[in-house]
Amino acid sequence: MAISIPRGGAGAASGLYAKHETIYPREVQGRFASLRRWAVVLLLGIYYLLPWCQFHGRQAVLFDLPARKFYLFGLILWPQDLIYLTWLLVLAGLSLFFFTAIAGRLWCGYACPQTVWTELFVDIERFIEGDRARRMKRDRGPWTVDKSWRKFAKHASWLLLAVWTGLTFVGFFNPISPLVRSALHGELSGWPLFWAAFYGLATYGNAGFLREQVCEYMCPYARFQSAMFDTGTLVITYDAKRGEPRGPHARGVDPRSLGQGDCVDCTLCVQACPTGIDIREGLQYECIACAACIDACDSVMDKLSRPRGLVRYSTAAGGRAASILRPRILVYAALLITIAIVGATSLVLRPRVALDVLRDRGVLYRETSSGVENVYSLKILNKDEQQHRFRLSVAGMTGAAIDPTDDLTVPAGEILSTTVRVIAPPGSSHGGRAIVFTLADADHPHRTITERSRFIAPQ
Amino acid sequence: MEDAAHTDRTELLRAVGAALWASFLAAALTTMLFFATFDPIALYDDAAVLKEAFSSRPTGYALGFFFFWLSTIVASGLTLILLRRPRRVHTHGR
């Protein structure tokens, strides 16, 4: 019964690394199309504008790799805060599991950079080269002036956008204003130039040429997403019971009386599909769940005065209202909430000061008239946004003194490296023993941090 | 005949593409974790060879990434080769 429909319809064009037929997705209007459009505007808006936001006189979001500091609005993260990056990755992974279990590949259809940039590139293509039918006809035809200038304009616009995308990408890691200024003066060089070109070209290639092939051949998530599905997961389905047998309807005759189904085999759902599959053949791994086929089919059902939803979000268990409160979802949700709360709490309460103590390895100890002394290198990290004054003390040894005794001032976001001597009175210590350095905030004496070390004296 | 050759080449390109991409992802993750732990500049004094790689942080990050990518490409590539079924009978000249 199934009718095979040629993919795309225009002969084979050679892709970058796979023989494939170019897909000309048909533009659709509808609920999901506008949802997708809003997602594109929101996500790309964030991407292109965020680096330009200022906060307290500096770039609000800056992953300053050269200085090894991450700025996220009021938050400054240091390499020592790696645990929060791990936390974020775990959270992202769990969210993917959670949303996939609820409604399939929401990520792919609405939020994946591949989808979002492809959408933008397709819009530009449509603006310059016209709709699906025109593009297919022109691509089959000979190279005319009209075809040449349109192709040139398309690639020029794509490249321009790609360059801007690459610059923005680098702007997340280097202050963006000086970066763009030097780019406009043609003075961009070194690694920023390299990475801008790298990311720009990747965007141009992925969104302009590879498109659905990235999802089909390159994306690991596409391969294992089925493991996160269960019978209650919402997936895009063709209602075969209602649609079959498919075929054109005769005017003025109730198709039911002729034993026909609701599907008129207009193939709009296939034409709209950005990955070129026929949803009527069932759930396929190429499906990125963009729901373009739902919009396409709904528009046809509206015209035929038939109820919508011949192609719709549905579950394997049947029905739209399958229970969301299934064990799998609840477990994911509980894990997500717990990890989010624990991580956020520890982020808020994280120590703003870190102390590193390193015993001088050159000299074990020195005997002077006032006693035995050891030398230590201290590193004090002030991860806070304001300057702090600290008082250092040592414990674990009676009568031990520190020199110098001055308060240590560390400016905001800086590291202070200094050396101190610890002096034990004569005869008070033999061999090695554990000591503890305590660093107290001079303005808030109850805020302390400690660090262990060793004191060495002659036997 | 030409079609078969074309399919072979397509399959090979697809496999190489997948290997490159998988190793890219692994290298990106490793680079992130490695340089979150180690400051490239701090490695300058201890580096026996390729000291210049650690002369500045951006250079350290970039060369580190390409080093990791190279090693993951080797791993992916070897996997590809090992997964190809060896031919039992060699047909010479055909």
Side-chain angles (χ1 to χ4, degrees):
Chain A
M1 203 66 212
I3 300 159
S4 76
I5 291 139
R7 296 174 97 202
S14 65
L16 203 57
Y17 73 96
K19 182 188 176 194
H20 92 297
E21 292 176 11
T22 309
I23 292 166
Y24 298 85
R26 185 190 192 88
E27 187 178 15
V28 289
Q29 305 292 339
R31 290 174 290 163
F32 298 105
S34 43
L35 198 60
R36 241 176 12 255
R37 196 140 300 248
W38 277 113
V40 169
V41 170
L42 179 75
L43 293 171
L44 288 186
I46 291 176
Y47 176 79
Y48 288 109
L49 296 180
L50 194 57
W52 295 97
C53 293
Q54 295 283 312
F55 185 86
H56 287 337
R58 58 167 165 77
Q59 191 167 321
V61 175
L62 179 65
F63 305 107
D64 194 348
L65 287 178
R68 293 176 73 72
K69 270 184 236 172
F70 286 2
Y71 300 94
L72 286 161
F73 295 92
L75 198 67
I76 304 178
L77 292 177
W78 293 59
Q80 287 80 356
D81 301 320
L82 174 67
I83 183 79
Y84 299 110
L85 182 69
T86 321
W87 168 65
L88 221 56
L89 289 177
V90 170
L91 221 52
L94 261 178
S95 308
L96 196 65
F97 279 41
F98 177 70
F99 287 111
T100 305
I102 289 183
R105 295 168 69 173
L106 285 176
W107 164 259
C108 302
Y110 299 92
C112 178
Q114 177 62 27
T115 309
V116 171
W117 265 305
T118 299
E119 195 109 351
L120 187 60
F121 272 55
V122 167
D123 279 347
I124 293 175
E125 186 169 64
R126 198 169 277 145
F127 180 75
I128 295 172
E129 292 195 38
D131 62 18
R132 178 175 193 265
R134 278 206 201 115
R135 287 208 306 279
M136 287 167 67
K137 189 165 169 245
R138 194 178 295 113
D139 280 2
R140 274 199 301 268
W143 279 91
T144 58
V145 175
D146 174 70
K147 181 172 174 173
S148 309
W149 86 256
R150 278 179 203 273
K151 291 280 175 200
F152 174 80
K154 177 179 84 175
H155 287 285
S157 321
W158 278 0
L159 277 171
L160 208 65
L161 182 64
V163 166
W164 189 249
T165 306
L167 269 181
T168 307
F169 176 72
V170 176
F172 276 97
F173 302 95
N174 296 273
I176 197 163
S177 321
L179 184 81
V180 168
R181 217 173 303 129
S182 71
L184 289 177
H185 288 108
E187 289 161 358
L188 201 61
S189 64
W191 292 116
L193 176 66
F194 174 81
W195 290 120
F198 191 96
Y199 199 82
L201 276 180
T203 310
Y204 177 67
N206 283 355
F209 299 92
L210 291 176
R211 294 190 181 170
E212 79 290 344
Q213 297 180 80
V214 172
C215 315
E216 282 179 40
Y217 304 121
M218 289 163 78
C219 179
Y221 169 61
R223 304 297 170 93
F224 61 72
Q225 38 93 14
S226 58
M228 302 176 202
F229 280 41
D230 58 25
T231 51
T233 301
L234 279 173
V235 287
I236 295 170
T237 339
Y238 164 67
D239 189 344
K241 224 190 263 170
R242 190 186 136 192
E244 300 295 325
R246 66 182 82 152
H249 291 174
R251 216 169 269 276
V253 186
D254 180 15
R256 294 269 167 223
S257 66
L258 299 172
Q260 283 186 303
D262 272 354
C263 175
V264 291
D265 206 10
C266 64
T267 73
L268 280 188
C269 57
V270 182
Q271 294 176 34
C273 181
T275 67
I277 58 169
D278 186 344
I279 192 66
R280 297 172 299 176
E281 287 167 10
L283 183 63
Q284 293 144 72
Y285 101 95
E286 288 94 337
C287 173
I288 57 167
C290 67
C293 50
I294 300 186
D295 284 335
C297 189
D298 279 353
S299 72
V300 174
M301 289 299 120
D302 286 355
K303 268 187 215 137
L304 297 172
S305 313
R306 294 250 148 220
R308 289 179 165 196
L310 182 57
V311 180
R312 63 167 186 271
Y313 273 107
S314 178
T315 65
R320 188 187 292 256
S323 172
I324 283 210
L325 301 174
R326 333 191 268 285
R328 179 192 283 245
I329 305 281
L330 292 179
V331 169
Y332 285 158
L335 273 173
L336 254 181
I337 293 171
T338 314
I339 294 177
I341 290 177
V342 169
T345 313
S346 107
L347 186 66
V348 170
L349 298 178
R350 78 191 187 285
R352 302 295 205 275
V353 179
L355 173 65
D356 246 358
V357 178
L358 198 67
R359 233 184 62 82
D360 184 8
R361 296 216 176 103
V363 186
L364 269 185
Y365 54 82
R366 222 154 61 92
E367 286 178 281
T368 62
S369 56
S370 52
V372 182
E373 64 178 49
N374 280 199
V375 176
Y376 300 85
S377 299
L378 297 189
K379 258 188 196 167
I380 305 170
L381 274 73
N382 178 7
K383 302 196 229 169
D384 208 2
E385 279 216 88
Q386 45 200 297
Q387 173 174 296
H388 281 284
R389 218 152 40 89
F390 298 107
R391 207 154 284 163
L392 189 70
S393 58
V394 67
M397 209 165 42
T398 43
I402 283 189
D403 176 60
T405 52
D406 306 342
D407 281 353
L408 302 157
T409 304
V410 192
E414 304 250 329
I415 302 174
L416 177 79
S417 296
T418 184
T419 48
V420 296
R421 294 183 302 149
V422 172
I423 305 141
S428 69
S429 183
H430 301 283
R433 64 190 307 163
I435 55 168
V436 179
F437 285 94
T438 301
L439 197 66
D441 193 319
D443 304 310
H444 308 274
H446 61 280
R447 286 191 201 160
T448 59
I449 49 167
T450 56
E451 182 72 14
R452 296 170 165 281
S453 189
R454 287 190 73 72
F455 187 90
I456 312 251
Q459 286 296 341
Chain B
M1 209 53 205
E2 238 172 69
D3 259 10
H6 187 93
T7 315
D8 270 2
R9 215 182 61 220
T10 309
E11 282 301 311
L12 182 71
L13 281 173
R14 218 170 262 185
V16 169
L20 279 178
W21 177 240
S23 44
F24 176 87
L25 290 180
L29 190 70
T30 322
T31 309
M32 202 167 74
L33 291 176
F34 183 83
F35 287 116
T37 316
F38 298 103
D39 182 347
I41 298 231
L43 298 175
Y44 182 84
D45 287 335
D46 292 338
V49 286
L50 293 178
K51 248 183 165 21
E52 284 67 35
F54 304 106
S55 54
S56 84
R57 281 181 183 142
T59 309
Y61 295 137
L63 295 183
F65 168 70
F66 286 113
F67 170 75
F68 286 127
W69 198 9
L70 197 70
S71 24
T72 48
I73 283 174
V74 169
S76 291
L78 281 176
T79 310
L80 270 189
I81 291 171
L82 294 179
L83 280 180
R84 287 173 80 109
R85 207 170 293 171
R87 264 183 226 163
R88 288 182 183 273
V89 183
H90 289 271
T91 47
H92 292 286
R94 273 206 271 178

